[in-house]
Amino acid sequence: MLSADLQKALNKQVKIEGDSSQIYLEMASWAEIQGFEGIATFMYAQSDEERQHMLKLVRYVNQRGGVADIPAISKPDLDHTSFKTLFKQLFDHEVYVSQSINDLVHISLTERDYATHNFLQWYVSEQIEEEATARTILDKINLIGDDKGGLYLFDNDLKNFNQQGKTNV
Ligand code: FEO
């Protein structure tokens, strides 16, 4: 059985993952309108992944005798001044998600809820990957600068990311 505090903290994470899905969805739609098919495809897939992260938490809370709190959909408030600002926000957001997962792990250990601690290890690993991907993308965007040709190639690289599950960006 989950403690009230842990249930509250897990439900907060449900909302964070739902918000993440919305952020990626917004970026996907924006990139699609701009004509960046690869970036859009990548972002749509990421948005789906974040929804899965949310669902996994919902199922876990209910499975442990708790009550999952389904959050309202939030409208992302993003700065679209440039690709750089956009992807910087994505990177910062993933760092924030990692911190939130760390806080959750801390609570689970403090409460000696080893089942939740075990459950959260999947998220710990996932965040290492997500942060690394966001960092790689941001580094690449920084390198490209205002080079339209570079952006075209980058867009193609991201298309391959979805096809192969990895990328050379
Ligand atoms: Fe599920 Fe990217 O955090």
Side-chain angles (χ1 to χ4, degrees):
M1 186 81 182
L2 288 173
S3 74
D5 280 353
L6 200 45
Q7 174 175 302
K8 193 173 165 197
L10 286 165
N11 275 329
K12 185 175 161 236
Q13 193 65 32
V14 167
K15 165 116 181 91
I16 289 174
E17 300 293 346
D19 286 347
S20 302
S21 180
Q22 290 300 106
I23 287 172
Y24 281 112
L25 181 58
E26 203 271 359
M27 288 183 175
S29 176
W30 184 79
E32 189 166 52
I33 291 164
Q34 303 292 315
F36 291 104
E37 196 189 327
I39 296 173
T41 305
F42 171 81
M43 291 295 178
Y44 278 124
Q46 289 293 312
S47 175
D48 282 347
E49 267 194 31
E50 297 296 354
R51 180 174 156 75
Q52 292 306 318
H53 298 175
M54 178 183 73
L55 289 176
K56 209 174 160 79
L57 280 155
V58 166
R59 303 294 300 268
Y60 179 75
V61 169
N62 292 340
Q63 188 184 21
R64 290 291 311 283
V67 178
D69 188 16
I70 308 304
I73 291 179
S74 307
K75 182 172 173 55
D77 181 19
L78 299 172
D79 176 357
H80 294 93
T81 312
S82 67
F83 271 93
K84 189 176 166 181
T85 57
L86 198 67
F87 283 98
K88 174 78 170 63
Q89 293 165 92
L90 185 133
F91 174 70
D92 290 345
H93 182 74
E94 288 299 341
V95 170
Y96 164 71
V97 175
S98 296
Q99 186 54 53
S100 178
I101 295 289
N102 282 345
D103 291 346
L104 263 175
V105 171
H106 179 75
I107 299 170
S108 70
L109 279 179
T110 308
E111 295 197 1
R112 299 185 182 191
D113 186 331
Y114 297 115
T116 299
H117 181 262
N118 186 49
F119 168 77
L120 289 171
Q121 295 314 300
W122 183 88
Y123 286 85
V124 171
S125 303
E126 185 68 14
Q127 279 315 118
I128 293 171
E129 252 182 56
E130 300 234 318
E131 263 191 50
T133 301
R135 188 178 291 113
T136 306
I137 289 174
L138 190 59
D139 286 349
K140 206 69 182 171
I141 292 277
N142 279 332
L143 274 177
I144 292 165
D146 294 327
D147 179 13
K148 288 269 194 299
L151 202 48
Y152 176 81
L153 290 174
F154 171 69
D155 185 53
N156 260 322
D157 277 346
L158 279 189
K159 211 182 297 174
N160 293 337
F161 185 102
N162 289 112
Q163 282 163 5
Q164 300 164 9
K166 58 183 169 53
T167 184
N168 57 1
V169 288

